[in-house]
Each structure stands twice: as structure tokens, then as C-alpha cells.
Amino acid sequence: MDIDVFMLEMPRKIWGKYQPKDSRLYTPHFKLKTHLIHLLGMPLLVFLIFYSQQSGAQSDASRGKIKLATGAGYSPFVDSKLPEGGWSTSLVKQTFNKMNLLTIVDVLPWNRALKWTQEGKVLGAFPFVYSKPRSELFLYSTAINYVPVHMYVASNARFSSPEQLQNKRLCFPFSYSLDPLEQGIVDKYQMSINRVKDGIGCIKHVQKGWSDAGLTNGYIHAEKLPKNAANDTSIVIFPEQVALVPLYLVISKDYANAQQWIEEFNYAFNLLQKSGAKAATEQRYLELIDNL
């Protein structure tokens, strides 16, 4: 039992028999003072931890390298099976190379990539869609990629176009946030949303008929997606593009010189475009996607 709890529960007359000469060392009053000292020191400790993370990131930049974070399983934009880790990764690395900086990319769970960026453990994270809540914490770069968004349904479904999905159920992963363009799709077709773990979970949800449709990027080939083991049902991706969603690099507003970093990234990205390197990279990945 803790000494303070024991002392408070013991009858006063019994405690008197065992009380040491300097009883102040064992009184709640002394304990309270100690707690107050600890509490007052906590903000300083938090500041020192945050400052050390920021200083570490800044020190890396001064040595000609920076750390970024991204997620996994977002082909072709982030994909360990593609050259340089995917289309977005390649463009981001080339942009920082224009700034004479070597890029180290940590592949993390998507939420942690944002968390580390907000905490200053890394300079930035990519590729993320715009959302208003996120914009209160982060600065956005110029768009580095665009995602052509298409709807898909189960191959045995009666639907043959997005217009037939009015008032139906749309599957959307928990880990993704609806950006304004995707929210526009939901509003246009008056769809209800079913949330599941991830994109593969949505495919299974649609295959089993628990949701009527899902959203995918136009670079995905339906015939290469997993089938439902129970009934071998595949999916059909509609040819209509229902949205074109930009992807960005984000930097925490609390990061030292955050606005300057964004402006310098945008300037270097513009140089990449003018030199023709961005167009060449896009062509390269489009060819790779067709051959996957």
C-alpha cells in the first residue's frame, strides 16, 4: 500500500506511535508540493522534447538531407514494387534534389505519417488530399499528382453506370478522409456511406453485396484485383471519371520556417515541370502501370 494512503487510513492515535521525528516527510502536504513541482515542470519537459525533435529535423536539413513520411499501399503513387517507391515518391525526391537536398522517406501508417509531421519529427508527409480540418494544422504544396476517381460495383450487380447508384450505399475506408470532390460525389448521388478498414475491405464489401459501390483510382485494373473466395465475384470499374483529386505534400504550420519550405518546394517543383522531367516521369509511370 502507498505510504500516503496507509497514513490517511490509519487512526491518528496509532499513527502517533510510529511517527518519525520529522513527520513532514510523510505528510500529504509534502507529497502535494512534490506533485506541484512535477506538474510545473511538465510544460518545460514537453517544450524540450518538441524543440529537440525540431532541432534534429533542422540539423538534418543543414547537412543536406531531409526526412519525410508517407503511407503504404496507394499504388501507383506510393508502391514499394515500383521504381523509387512510386510515382509521388519519385516526383517529391526529384523536387528536393532540385533544392540540393537528399530525401529519406519513412513508410508509416498514414495517420502516423501525419502525426510525425505535426510533431516535427519529419519535415513533411505525402501524398495527402485536402481537407478543411487538416488545413488548420498543415500547409499544402502545389499538387504533385492527380487521382482520376472512378466508381466500381460487383460484376454480378445490376448497375451499369454511376447514375443508377442514386440513393445507394458507398463503401469508404476508415483511414481515408472524404475530400471536397469525393464529398461532391456522395452529395450528387445522395449516397449513404459504409466505413470499413481499408480499400481491400471495400472491395470485399462490394463483392459480398454489403455495399453497392466503391471508389477507386483510374490506374487500377479491375481484373488484377482480388476476387471473393466464396463466390469468385470480381468487380467492374465504370469508365466514367467522377472526380479528379489532387495530392499534396503537407508541412506542419508549427514547423520552423514552414511557409518558406512550402514556397521553396513549389519553386523547385515548377523548375521540374519546366525542365520536362515531370512529364518524363509521368510518361514512365503510365507505361509501367499499363504493364503491371
Side-chain angles (χ1 to χ4, degrees):
M1 180 179 292
D2 184 84
I3 184 65
D4 292 306
V5 176
F6 178 75
M7 184 190 71
L8 289 171
E9 289 181 350
M10 182 182 291
R12 188 179 299 273
K13 61 182 180 179
I14 298 176
W15 168 244
K17 293 173 61 179
Y18 300 101
Q19 190 173 15
K21 291 181 180 179
D22 191 356
S23 62
R24 289 173 300 171
L25 296 177
Y26 296 94
T27 61
H29 178 68
F30 178 81
K31 188 78 171 181
L32 179 60
K33 283 185 178 179
T34 305
H35 283 177
L36 284 173
I37 292 170
H38 288 318
L39 288 173
L40 289 171
M42 280 302 292
L44 177 60
L45 178 61
V46 171
F47 171 77
L48 289 174
I49 292 172
F50 179 78
Y51 179 77
S52 66
Q53 291 169 347
Q54 288 270 321
S55 297
Q58 290 295 318
S59 178
D60 283 342
S62 68
R63 291 195 297 267
K65 62 180 181 180
I66 52 100
K67 290 186 71 173
L68 302 174
T70 188
Y74 193 21
S75 188
F77 308 106
V78 178
D79 190 338
S80 60
K81 297 177 182 176
L82 291 175
E84 297 182 287
W87 190 348
S88 295
T89 309
S90 177
L91 289 174
V92 167
K93 285 182 174 180
Q94 288 181 65
T95 301
F96 279 105
N97 187 51
K98 287 279 186 186
M99 299 162 63
N100 296 315
L101 290 168
L102 173 67
T103 309
I104 301 168
V105 179
D106 288 329
V107 180
L108 307 168
W110 290 99
N111 287 340
R112 193 184 305 167
L114 277 180
K115 184 174 184 290
W116 279 24
T117 302
Q118 188 177 357
E119 293 174 350
K121 293 180 180 179
V122 295
L123 169 62
F126 70 92
F128 282 90
V129 301
Y130 175 87
S131 72
K132 185 161 181 56
R134 195 175 292 156
S135 69
E136 295 174 1
L137 301 172
F138 300 95
L139 298 176
Y140 284 76
S141 71
T142 188
I144 53 179
N145 283 108
Y146 289 87
V147 185
V149 180
H150 294 248
M151 277 191 185
Y152 67 85
V153 296
S155 58
N156 60 358
R158 65 184 185 278
F159 312 113
S160 58
S161 70
E163 286 67 33
Q164 294 177 336
L165 290 163
Q166 196 79 21
N167 300 313
K168 301 301 181 183
R169 300 162 299 175
L170 179 71
C171 187
F172 208 77
F174 278 117
S175 56
Y176 295 1
S177 60
L178 280 168
D179 91 319
L181 294 174
E182 290 168 330
Q183 184 63 56
I185 296 170
V186 174
D187 295 340
K188 178 180 178 180
Y189 297 105
Q190 294 296 298
M191 304 181 84
S192 58
I193 295 180
N194 289 334
R195 289 278 188 172
V196 299
K197 180 181 178 181
D198 53 27
I200 295 299
C202 266
I203 292 172
K204 293 179 180 178
H205 224 248
V206 171
Q207 288 170 333
K208 292 180 179 180
W210 298 335
S211 291
D212 298 300
L215 297 177
T216 186
N217 78 68
Y219 300 121
I220 299 297
H221 298 299
E223 65 274 11
K224 296 183 179 179
L225 291 171
K227 294 181 174 59
N228 183 345
N231 57 19
D232 201 39
T233 300
S234 59
I235 64 169
V236 173
I237 299 175
F238 294 147
E240 296 92 342
Q241 180 179 296
V242 292
L244 189 64
V245 178
L247 300 175
Y248 305 92
L249 169 81
V250 297
I251 296 177
S252 171
K253 290 182 176 180
D254 292 331
Y255 196 87
N257 303 314
Q259 186 62 47
Q260 183 179 343
W261 275 108
I262 284 290
E263 290 173 1
E264 290 183 2
F265 178 88
N266 291 345
Y267 179 78
F269 193 82
N270 186 48
L271 292 179
L272 200 70
Q273 289 178 305
K274 288 182 176 180
S275 69
K278 178 177 180 289
T281 300
E282 289 177 342
Q283 184 60 37
R284 179 187 180 200
Y285 278 92
L286 289 172
E287 290 173 0
L288 285 168
I289 294 163
D290 288 339
N291 295 323
L292 285 178

